[in-house]
Amino acid sequence: MPTGVALRDVRQQLFDAAERVLLRDGAPGLTSRAVTAEAGVAKGVLHKHFEDFDAFLAELVQDRIARLEGQAAALRDSAGTGTVAGNLIGALMNLFDSVAVSIVGLVIFRDELRARLPRARPAFGIPVLTDAVAMIAAYLNEECELGRIAADADVEALALSLIGAGHMLFAGRDGVAPEPADVGKVVNAVIADVTQRRLL
């Protein structure tokens, strides 16, 4: 990169480049050199903006988590409209895009990143997935209050089941998402009891 040329939003440029490398080469191929080459910037640019590469990766994960906030708000707003199953299917299809699945794999793959994340954002489990559980649980709680699922539904357990099963369904597919009908089978199996019991 020529000296004296200002980078426009260099952090986002580096995040976008990291996501492309992650999708193309997987977690083992995600290095600082690969990211800066993909972004088309000098090797030192990343270390100018981040303490080290794991600090960069931690912020990449946090950036992905921040994107969930908009999805969570939209899902909560959908409570009482459409069908519960339809809303959950749409949420899982949006949540588990190729980048999100790859980032979960990255957190599992890199010990130092995993060790660093709790310091930045205390939480049990795996970042992105735990945030997704909270998103689904909040939505199910809204539906519970509206009477569209059983009043005694354990929304935390349902959310854990949906996210766990959803991740298994989307992972390892080389960027090819499952069909909505396949996601629907999982969703309907998980929520069948609480949707049927509210009708009794």
Side-chain angles (χ1 to χ4, degrees):
M1 175 189 161
T3 58
V5 177
L7 288 174
R8 191 173 127 260
D9 198 1
V10 66
R11 293 166 67 89
Q12 191 59 53
Q13 187 176 346
L14 291 167
F15 288 157
D16 292 344
E19 291 181 356
R20 292 193 299 273
V21 173
L22 188 57
L23 288 175
R24 185 180 65 237
D25 303 327
L30 188 62
T31 63
S32 59
R33 184 182 298 272
V35 171
T36 53
E38 180 70 24
V41 300
K43 288 181 285 188
V45 169
L46 188 146
H47 293 284
K48 179 179 178 182
H49 292 270
F50 301 92
E51 178 186 346
D52 56 31
F53 190 54
D54 283 302
F56 166 75
L57 294 178
E59 292 205 32
L60 174 68
V61 174
Q62 294 297 322
D63 181 69
R64 173 54 54 160
I65 290 169
R67 297 184 200 186
L68 284 178
E69 295 177 5
Q71 293 180 28
L75 182 58
R76 284 195 309 273
D77 289 346
S78 73
T81 67
T83 65
V84 175
N87 292 339
L88 289 169
I89 292 166
L92 292 178
M93 295 293 293
N94 289 333
L95 171 66
F96 287 115
D97 63 21
S98 299
V99 174
V101 172
S102 296
I103 284 180
V104 170
L106 174 67
V107 173
I108 294 169
F109 176 77
R110 291 186 69 98
D111 293 339
E112 176 56 33
L113 172 59
R114 208 166 49 249
R116 187 176 298 231
L117 282 168
R119 293 198 296 269
R121 190 173 188 281
F124 70 93
I126 299 171
V128 178
L129 293 184
T130 53
D131 294 273
V133 168
M135 176 181 83
I136 297 295
Y139 163 73
L140 290 172
N141 190 60
E142 294 280 344
E143 293 289 19
C144 191
E145 291 181 1
L146 291 170
R148 300 218 302 169
I149 62 175
D152 63 349
D154 186 337
V155 297
E156 293 289 340
L158 289 170
L160 280 167
S161 298
L162 287 164
I163 293 303
H167 183 248
M168 291 292 292
L169 193 59
F170 281 81
R173 299 179 64 97
D174 295 325
V176 179
E179 293 295 324
D182 295 327
V183 179
K185 289 178 185 177
V186 172
V187 168
N188 282 303
V190 171
I191 68 170
D193 177 64
V194 294
T195 54
Q196 289 169 8
R197 283 193 296 108
R198 69 100 186 173
L199 298 173
L200 298 178

